[in-house]
Amino acid sequence: MKSWILAPAALELCLALALSSPFAAAEVYVVAPTGGDFTQIQAAVVVAIDGDAILVKAGTYAGFTIYDEALVVHAEADAQVLISGGISIRNLSAGKLVAITGVAATSTLLLGNVGSVRMIDCEFDNGELDLNGASVASCADVAFDRCLIVGSKGRDGECTCWDGCRGQDGVRIIASRVSCSNSSIRGGAGGDGVYNMLNCVFGCGPAWGGDGADGAFLSNDSFLFASDCSFKGGAGGQGENFCAGSGTDGAGGCGLTGATPDTAKVLQCTFAGGNGTPDGADICGKVSLLPGSGKSMNLTPLLELGTPQWIVYTGFPGETVTLLLGTVPSFEYQASLNGALLLGAPWRTRAQGTIDGSGILTVPFAWPALPAGQRNLTILLQSILKDAIGQRTLTNPVVVTVL
């Protein structure tokens, strides 16, 4: 096995990457209910500057907004970090990166970001708050990996007098480029029809169920690459019979809506419409189905300097693995690599080995040194797996901060 911590060439490589970082990371702020630098994430964001890292310990915190700052927000390893509100990232300038890992929030709003956003191992599930799980608008480079994203259920009996309201989409993508890997995305169910004379000043009749929402909605000026994801539409709400009328159940939502073969490239994903009257279609539109299967890599997002962790690759036996490392984010769909390349130049490569008969390759990874005065460094990783006939496939992205 290869280890980054012992080889002189690896030390030289690591230092070169650290020096190529666009931001010399200055501080690491700790957020905790007690004993940290701050008790709320927003307070740490206000003080932080480009390149800083925010480490969040277990607890429940208010929602927060990041406005044009290059920051990473990591939940501490194995900590349950709950956000009782949404996460908003707005107006991120070109070349800047925001990465959020390991948190559970009600929703996320990504708006007007020319820079890059990475959401890894996060959960956005807002119950009945009339919100999409994730709303992405006018963003150039967004990636979700290992996320659960659920739109809210429609309100019961509050639309058009006493009809149920439509659910909210799992992910709604407008004029944006998005990569999604190893994630589950679900539209919210429609609200139930509930007859209530207080909601309407006229007549008497059936209450209709609200329509289920789409797992994902994609505008025609957007692009989506998805690998190893499941998309499911929300179920239609139940209608209620009243005054000799028959309240019909709402229609089921689509697994994915608005896609064309040019705007949606999918690799080993599943799509299902929601139950309803009628049931939703699996795909409302068309997608480009890529050959082959998704590949994955996994590494803890927090590394202590010099302490080895393990990268775990999953693929088919006999596939060779090449690791890409860099500090500059980017977004470019690469047909020859069967995926979205989320690293920009300059990056370095390193051969990792060959997937064994179990379909797994495990390789030690450690970061040996940082330049003098630099307290942390965020690095971006992605890998290429190549099979026996030469087909190359990109893995999901990984964001790691070395402390």
Side-chain angles (χ1 to χ4, degrees):
M1 289 187 177
K2 301 180 177 69
S3 173
W4 277 63
I5 196 169
L6 300 176
L11 175 60
E12 180 181 350
L13 173 60
C14 293
L15 292 174
L17 281 175
L19 292 171
S20 72
S21 173
F23 306 106
E27 294 292 339
V28 178
Y29 295 109
V30 176
V31 177
T34 59
D37 301 307
F38 301 96
T39 59
Q40 290 293 335
I41 299 171
Q42 187 66 66
V45 169
V46 169
V47 171
I49 61 173
D50 285 340
D52 285 346
I54 298 172
L55 174 63
V56 187
K57 294 183 177 292
T60 299
Y61 305 93
F64 61 94
T65 297
I66 297 174
Y67 184 90
D68 194 27
E69 286 186 279
L71 300 175
V72 292
V73 180
H74 293 297
E76 187 178 44
D78 299 321
Q80 185 178 42
V81 174
L82 303 178
I83 310 298
S84 59
I87 297 172
S88 179
I89 302 170
R90 298 169 178 256
N91 297 89
L92 197 62
S93 300
K96 292 187 178 183
L97 168 71
V98 169
I100 312 288
T101 71
V103 306
T106 58
S107 63
T108 184
L109 171 64
L110 311 178
L111 179 62
N113 297 304
V114 182
S116 304
V117 178
R118 303 288 180 264
M119 298 284 195
I120 298 176
D121 195 22
C122 292
E123 179 177 328
F124 303 106
D125 187 350
N126 51 62
E128 300 184 7
L129 297 177
D130 280 339
L131 294 170
N132 301 314
S135 298
V136 185
S138 301
C139 293
D141 175 9
V142 174
F144 297 97
D145 179 53
R146 289 181 287 122
C147 291
L148 171 65
I149 309 174
V150 184
S152 65
K153 180 182 181 295
R155 287 172 285 127
D156 294 336
E158 294 188 23
C159 289
T160 315
C161 290
W162 41 70
D163 296 338
C165 301
R166 182 186 183 274
Q168 300 295 320
D169 298 329
V171 176
R172 191 168 184 86
I173 303 168
I174 307 295
S176 300
R177 295 188 299 176
V178 174
S179 170
C180 184
S181 51
N182 307 304
S183 296
S184 176
I185 300 170
R186 304 200 302 263
D192 296 333
V194 179
Y195 182 76
N196 185 346
M197 286 295 294
L198 297 178
N199 288 353
C200 215
V201 296
F202 61 90
C204 173
W208 298 70
D211 292 342
D214 300 323
F217 174 88
L218 184 68
S219 69
N220 59 13
D221 54 355
S222 294
F223 178 83
L224 171 68
F225 169 74
S227 172
D228 278 316
C229 291
S230 64
F231 297 85
K232 183 171 178 55
Q238 292 184 336
E240 181 176 81
N241 299 334
F242 194 79
C243 293
S246 178
T248 303
D249 293 347
C254 297
L256 173 64
T257 286
T260 72
D262 291 330
T263 61
K265 311 287 187 181
V266 300
L267 179 64
Q268 201 176 7
C269 293
T270 62
F271 301 89
N275 297 328
T277 306
D279 292 340
D282 295 345
I283 300 174
C284 296
K286 295 183 178 180
V287 301
S288 178
L289 298 174
L290 303 179
S293 61
K295 315 297 178 183
S296 72
M297 64 180 295
N298 194 19
L299 175 65
T300 179
L302 288 169
L303 291 178
E304 292 185 14
L305 194 65
T307 301
Q309 297 290 338
W310 298 89
I311 305 178
V312 179
Y313 299 98
T314 304
F316 285 116
E319 290 180 323
T320 58
V321 181
T322 300
L323 176 65
L324 313 178
L325 304 97
T327 57
V328 179
S330 184
F331 189 111
E332 182 180 359
Y333 175 70
Q334 294 271 358
S336 63
L337 296 177
N338 231 17
L341 179 62
L342 300 174
L343 281 173
W347 68 71
R348 304 295 193 272
T349 64
R350 183 173 175 84
Q352 296 290 278
T354 302
I355 303 287
D356 65 19
S358 69
I360 300 292
L361 173 65
T362 303
V363 180
F365 183 91
W367 205 261
L370 293 175
Q374 189 163 327
R375 290 191 58 195
N376 71 75
L377 173 69
T378 294
I379 52 176
L380 310 176
L381 298 87
Q382 201 169 7
S383 295
I384 300 171
L385 275 64
K386 184 171 74 171
D387 64 20
I389 63 173
Q391 173 67 58
R392 298 184 298 168
T393 301
L394 283 160
T395 66
N396 55 294
V398 171
V399 178
V400 173
T401 298
V402 184
L403 304 176

